Amino acid sequence: MLTREELPECPVATTVQLIGNKWKLLIIRNLIYNDKQRFSDFIKSIPAISKKVLTDNLRALEDDGLVEREVFAEVPPRVEYSLSQIGKTLKPILDAMMDWGTDYKNNL
């Protein structure tokens, strides 16, 4: 997780740094609307993402404290991802983006 000193001074830039690529936004979207997801669930619902890019973005979201990873001691191993408490606070942002995108598309 980044320290306060490592984050941009501008709050908008901080938000963009944490969730500002399309893959992170789609991962967060999935977790907001589906609660928990396994790796294969992400691959099915975000077909354009590669496994490496998905892994890298999940790790970054976990490192930033937005996503939690739970490993189950089973054979084969099972891993589930969910939003952390701070990650759940992103819901109004994603909702606003969804509303704006819908309005934009409807007004073309």
Side-chain angles (χ1 to χ4, degrees):
M1 188 176 296
L2 296 173
T3 65
R4 190 171 304 224
E5 294 76 31
E6 294 172 311
L7 292 171
E9 193 167 321
C10 172
V12 173
T14 296
T15 304
V16 169
Q17 182 173 329
L18 293 172
I19 65 167
N21 76 44
K22 69 180 179 180
W23 303 121
K24 287 181 181 180
L25 286 170
L26 294 175
I27 290 166
I28 292 166
R29 176 209 60 193
N30 281 16
L31 293 173
I32 284 173
Y33 299 110
N34 297 305
D35 193 36
K36 293 186 179 197
Q37 295 251 275
R38 295 176 69 178
F39 192 88
S40 61
D41 297 326
F42 289 113
I43 294 294
K44 290 175 191 168
S45 62
I46 312 171
I49 196 168
S50 72
K51 290 179 180 180
K52 181 190 181 327
V53 170
L54 176 58
T55 299
D56 291 347
N57 279 278
L58 284 168
R59 283 186 184 149
L61 288 166
E62 187 179 0
D63 288 346
D64 291 333
L66 301 175
V67 168
E68 295 174 343
R69 180 177 184 265
E70 184 176 5
V71 180
F72 296 88
E74 300 174 350
V75 177
R78 177 171 53 112
V79 178
E80 289 183 345
Y81 296 90
S82 61
L83 288 175
S84 66
Q85 284 305 115
I86 193 75
K88 290 176 183 176
T89 65
L90 292 167
K91 186 175 186 323
I93 295 170
L94 271 285
D95 288 343
M97 291 175 74
M98 184 184 300
D99 292 343
W100 187 89
T102 300
D103 289 345
Y104 181 83
K105 288 170 67 175
N106 288 338
N107 290 313
L108 286 180

Short mmCIF file of all heavy atoms in Angstrom, two decimals, residues 41-72:
data_model
loop_
_atom_site.label_atom_id
_atom_site.label_comp_id
_atom_site.label_asym_id
_atom_site.label_seq_id
_atom_site.Cartn_x
_atom_site.Cartn_y
_atom_site.Cartn_z
N ASP A 41 -14.12 -16.42 -12.92
CA ASP A 41 -15.29 -15.55 -13.10
C ASP A 41 -14.89 -14.25 -13.80
O ASP A 41 -15.62 -13.75 -14.66
CB ASP A 41 -15.95 -15.22 -11.76
CG ASP A 41 -16.49 -16.44 -11.05
OD1 ASP A 41 -16.95 -17.38 -11.73
OD2 ASP A 41 -16.45 -16.45 -9.80
N PHE A 42 -13.75 -13.71 -13.42
CA PHE A 42 -13.26 -12.49 -14.07
C PHE A 42 -12.97 -12.75 -15.55
O PHE A 42 -13.32 -11.95 -16.41
CB PHE A 42 -12.00 -11.96 -13.39
CG PHE A 42 -12.22 -11.36 -12.04
CD1 PHE A 42 -11.70 -11.96 -10.91
CD2 PHE A 42 -12.93 -10.18 -11.89
CE1 PHE A 42 -11.88 -11.40 -9.66
CE2 PHE A 42 -13.12 -9.61 -10.64
CZ PHE A 42 -12.60 -10.23 -9.52
N ILE A 43 -12.32 -13.87 -15.82
CA ILE A 43 -11.96 -14.21 -17.21
C ILE A 43 -13.22 -14.33 -18.06
O ILE A 43 -13.27 -13.85 -19.20
CB ILE A 43 -11.13 -15.52 -17.26
CG1 ILE A 43 -9.76 -15.33 -16.59
CG2 ILE A 43 -10.98 -16.01 -18.68
CD1 ILE A 43 -8.83 -14.36 -17.28
N LYS A 44 -14.29 -14.92 -17.51
CA LYS A 44 -15.53 -15.07 -18.26
C LYS A 44 -16.24 -13.74 -18.48
O LYS A 44 -16.81 -13.51 -19.54
CB LYS A 44 -16.48 -16.02 -17.52
CG LYS A 44 -16.04 -17.46 -17.53
CD LYS A 44 -16.95 -18.31 -16.68
CE LYS A 44 -16.37 -19.69 -16.45
NZ LYS A 44 -17.09 -20.43 -15.41
N SER A 45 -16.23 -12.88 -17.48
CA SER A 45 -16.99 -11.64 -17.57
C SER A 45 -16.20 -10.48 -18.18
O SER A 45 -16.78 -9.46 -18.55
CB SER A 45 -17.52 -11.24 -16.19
OG SER A 45 -16.44 -11.00 -15.31
N ILE A 46 -14.89 -10.62 -18.29
CA ILE A 46 -14.05 -9.61 -18.94
C ILE A 46 -13.20 -10.35 -19.98
O ILE A 46 -11.99 -10.54 -19.81
CB ILE A 46 -13.13 -8.88 -17.92
CG1 ILE A 46 -13.92 -8.42 -16.69
CG2 ILE A 46 -12.43 -7.71 -18.58
CD1 ILE A 46 -13.05 -7.90 -15.56
N PRO A 47 -13.81 -10.79 -21.07
CA PRO A 47 -13.12 -11.69 -22.00
C PRO A 47 -11.88 -11.09 -22.68
O PRO A 47 -10.99 -11.83 -23.08
CB PRO A 47 -14.19 -12.04 -23.03
CG PRO A 47 -15.26 -11.04 -22.87
CD PRO A 47 -15.18 -10.52 -21.48
N ALA A 48 -11.78 -9.79 -22.78
CA ALA A 48 -10.63 -9.19 -23.46
C ALA A 48 -9.37 -9.14 -22.59
O ALA A 48 -8.29 -8.88 -23.10
CB ALA A 48 -10.98 -7.78 -23.94
N ILE A 49 -9.50 -9.40 -21.30
CA ILE A 49 -8.35 -9.30 -20.40
C ILE A 49 -7.54 -10.60 -20.44
O ILE A 49 -8.09 -11.69 -20.48
CB ILE A 49 -8.80 -8.97 -18.96
CG1 ILE A 49 -7.65 -8.49 -18.10
CG2 ILE A 49 -9.52 -10.14 -18.32
CD1 ILE A 49 -8.07 -7.88 -16.77
N SER A 50 -6.22 -10.44 -20.46
CA SER A 50 -5.36 -11.63 -20.40
C SER A 50 -5.19 -12.06 -18.95
O SER A 50 -5.40 -11.27 -18.02
CB SER A 50 -3.99 -11.33 -21.03
OG SER A 50 -3.24 -10.49 -20.18
N LYS A 51 -4.77 -13.29 -18.75
CA LYS A 51 -4.57 -13.79 -17.39
C LYS A 51 -3.47 -13.01 -16.67
O LYS A 51 -3.59 -12.72 -15.48
CB LYS A 51 -4.24 -15.28 -17.42
CG LYS A 51 -5.42 -16.13 -17.83
CD LYS A 51 -5.08 -17.60 -17.87
CE LYS A 51 -6.30 -18.40 -18.28
NZ LYS A 51 -6.02 -19.83 -18.34
N LYS A 52 -2.42 -12.64 -17.39
CA LYS A 52 -1.33 -11.88 -16.78
C LYS A 52 -1.81 -10.50 -16.35
O LYS A 52 -1.52 -10.05 -15.23
CB LYS A 52 -0.15 -11.75 -17.73
CG LYS A 52 1.00 -10.98 -17.11
CD LYS A 52 2.07 -10.63 -18.11
CE LYS A 52 3.24 -9.89 -17.55
NZ LYS A 52 3.03 -8.99 -16.46
N VAL A 53 -2.54 -9.82 -17.21
CA VAL A 53 -3.03 -8.48 -16.89
C VAL A 53 -4.01 -8.55 -15.73
O VAL A 53 -3.99 -7.70 -14.82
CB VAL A 53 -3.65 -7.80 -18.13
CG1 VAL A 53 -4.37 -6.52 -17.78
CG2 VAL A 53 -2.57 -7.54 -19.17
N LEU A 54 -4.88 -9.56 -15.72
CA LEU A 54 -5.81 -9.73 -14.61
C LEU A 54 -5.05 -9.95 -13.31
O LEU A 54 -5.34 -9.31 -12.29
CB LEU A 54 -6.77 -10.90 -14.89
CG LEU A 54 -7.74 -11.25 -13.76
CD1 LEU A 54 -8.61 -10.05 -13.37
CD2 LEU A 54 -8.60 -12.44 -14.15
N THR A 55 -4.08 -10.83 -13.33
CA THR A 55 -3.27 -11.10 -12.14
C THR A 55 -2.58 -9.84 -11.64
O THR A 55 -2.62 -9.52 -10.45
CB THR A 55 -2.22 -12.19 -12.43
OG1 THR A 55 -2.90 -13.39 -12.80
CG2 THR A 55 -1.34 -12.45 -11.24
N ASP A 56 -1.96 -9.09 -12.56
CA ASP A 56 -1.26 -7.87 -12.18
C ASP A 56 -2.21 -6.84 -11.56
O ASP A 56 -1.88 -6.20 -10.55
CB ASP A 56 -0.56 -7.24 -13.39
CG ASP A 56 0.62 -8.07 -13.88
OD1 ASP A 56 1.05 -8.99 -13.15
OD2 ASP A 56 1.10 -7.80 -15.00
N ASN A 57 -3.40 -6.68 -12.14
CA ASN A 57 -4.35 -5.70 -11.63
C ASN A 57 -4.96 -6.13 -10.31
O ASN A 57 -5.18 -5.30 -9.42
CB ASN A 57 -5.43 -5.41 -12.68
CG ASN A 57 -4.95 -4.43 -13.72
OD1 ASN A 57 -4.99 -3.22 -13.50
ND2 ASN A 57 -4.47 -4.94 -14.85
N LEU A 58 -5.25 -7.42 -10.15
CA LEU A 58 -5.75 -7.91 -8.86
C LEU A 58 -4.71 -7.69 -7.76
O LEU A 58 -5.05 -7.26 -6.66
CB LEU A 58 -6.13 -9.39 -8.95
CG LEU A 58 -7.45 -9.70 -9.66
CD1 LEU A 58 -7.56 -11.18 -9.95
CD2 LEU A 58 -8.63 -9.21 -8.84
N ARG A 59 -3.46 -7.96 -8.07
CA ARG A 59 -2.39 -7.74 -7.08
C ARG A 59 -2.26 -6.27 -6.72
O ARG A 59 -2.09 -5.92 -5.54
CB ARG A 59 -1.05 -8.27 -7.62
CG ARG A 59 -0.95 -9.76 -7.55
CD ARG A 59 0.43 -10.24 -7.95
NE ARG A 59 0.46 -11.70 -7.95
CZ ARG A 59 1.20 -12.44 -8.75
NH1 ARG A 59 2.01 -11.86 -9.62
NH2 ARG A 59 1.17 -13.74 -8.69
N ALA A 60 -2.34 -5.40 -7.73
CA ALA A 60 -2.24 -3.96 -7.46
C ALA A 60 -3.41 -3.48 -6.60
O ALA A 60 -3.21 -2.72 -5.64
CB ALA A 60 -2.20 -3.18 -8.78
N LEU A 61 -4.62 -3.95 -6.91
CA LEU A 61 -5.78 -3.57 -6.11
C LEU A 61 -5.67 -4.10 -4.69
O LEU A 61 -6.06 -3.43 -3.73
CB LEU A 61 -7.07 -4.07 -6.78
CG LEU A 61 -7.47 -3.33 -8.04
CD1 LEU A 61 -8.54 -4.11 -8.80
CD2 LEU A 61 -7.97 -1.93 -7.71
N GLU A 62 -5.11 -5.29 -4.56
CA GLU A 62 -4.89 -5.87 -3.22
C GLU A 62 -3.82 -5.08 -2.47
O GLU A 62 -4.00 -4.74 -1.29
CB GLU A 62 -4.50 -7.34 -3.35
CG GLU A 62 -4.41 -8.06 -2.03
CD GLU A 62 -4.03 -9.53 -2.18
OE1 GLU A 62 -3.82 -10.01 -3.31
OE2 GLU A 62 -3.95 -10.19 -1.13
N ASP A 63 -2.73 -4.75 -3.16
CA ASP A 63 -1.65 -3.98 -2.53
C ASP A 63 -2.15 -2.60 -2.07
O ASP A 63 -1.68 -2.08 -1.05
CB ASP A 63 -0.49 -3.79 -3.50
CG ASP A 63 0.30 -5.06 -3.73
OD1 ASP A 63 0.14 -6.03 -2.95
OD2 ASP A 63 1.08 -5.10 -4.70
N ASP A 64 -3.08 -2.02 -2.81
CA ASP A 64 -3.62 -0.70 -2.47
C ASP A 64 -4.74 -0.78 -1.44
O ASP A 64 -5.30 0.24 -1.05
CB ASP A 64 -4.12 0.01 -3.73
CG ASP A 64 -2.98 0.42 -4.64
OD1 ASP A 64 -1.85 0.62 -4.15
OD2 ASP A 64 -3.20 0.54 -5.87
N GLY A 65 -5.08 -2.00 -1.01
CA GLY A 65 -6.08 -2.16 0.05
C GLY A 65 -7.52 -2.09 -0.42
O GLY A 65 -8.43 -1.99 0.40
N LEU A 66 -7.75 -2.18 -1.73
CA LEU A 66 -9.12 -2.08 -2.26
C LEU A 66 -9.78 -3.45 -2.42
O LEU A 66 -11.01 -3.55 -2.40
CB LEU A 66 -9.11 -1.35 -3.61
CG LEU A 66 -8.56 0.08 -3.57
CD1 LEU A 66 -8.49 0.66 -4.96
CD2 LEU A 66 -9.38 0.95 -2.64
N VAL A 67 -8.97 -4.48 -2.60
CA VAL A 67 -9.47 -5.84 -2.81
C VAL A 67 -8.84 -6.77 -1.79
O VAL A 67 -7.67 -6.61 -1.43
CB VAL A 67 -9.15 -6.31 -4.26
CG1 VAL A 67 -9.38 -7.80 -4.44
CG2 VAL A 67 -9.97 -5.52 -5.27
N GLU A 68 -9.63 -7.73 -1.33
CA GLU A 68 -9.13 -8.77 -0.43
C GLU A 68 -9.15 -10.11 -1.15
O GLU A 68 -10.04 -10.38 -1.96
CB GLU A 68 -10.00 -8.83 0.82
CG GLU A 68 -9.92 -7.56 1.64
CD GLU A 68 -10.88 -7.54 2.82
OE1 GLU A 68 -11.84 -8.34 2.84
OE2 GLU A 68 -10.68 -6.69 3.70
N ARG A 69 -8.17 -10.92 -0.82
CA ARG A 69 -8.01 -12.24 -1.44
C ARG A 69 -8.12 -13.28 -0.35
O ARG A 69 -7.40 -13.21 0.65
CB ARG A 69 -6.64 -12.28 -2.11
CG ARG A 69 -6.27 -13.53 -2.80
CD ARG A 69 -4.89 -13.30 -3.45
NE ARG A 69 -4.49 -14.43 -4.22
CZ ARG A 69 -3.71 -15.41 -3.79
NH1 ARG A 69 -3.24 -15.37 -2.55
NH2 ARG A 69 -3.41 -16.43 -4.55
N GLU A 70 -9.02 -14.24 -0.54
CA GLU A 70 -9.18 -15.30 0.45
C GLU A 70 -8.84 -16.63 -0.20
O GLU A 70 -9.42 -17.01 -1.22
CB GLU A 70 -10.62 -15.33 0.97
CG GLU A 70 -10.85 -16.33 2.07
CD GLU A 70 -12.25 -16.28 2.64
OE1 GLU A 70 -13.10 -15.53 2.13
OE2 GLU A 70 -12.50 -17.03 3.61
N VAL A 71 -7.88 -17.33 0.40
CA VAL A 71 -7.43 -18.63 -0.12
C VAL A 71 -8.03 -19.71 0.76
O VAL A 71 -7.91 -19.67 1.99
CB VAL A 71 -5.89 -18.72 -0.12
CG1 VAL A 71 -5.44 -20.07 -0.65
CG2 VAL A 71 -5.28 -17.59 -0.92
N PHE A 72 -8.67 -20.69 0.13
CA PHE A 72 -9.27 -21.81 0.84
C PHE A 72 -8.35 -23.02 0.71
O PHE A 72 -7.87 -23.33 -0.38
CB PHE A 72 -10.65 -22.14 0.26
CG PHE A 72 -11.64 -21.03 0.44
CD1 PHE A 72 -11.75 -20.01 -0.50
CD2 PHE A 72 -12.46 -20.99 1.55
CE1 PHE A 72 -12.65 -18.98 -0.33
CE2 PHE A 72 -13.38 -19.97 1.74
CZ PHE A 72 -13.47 -18.96 0.79
#
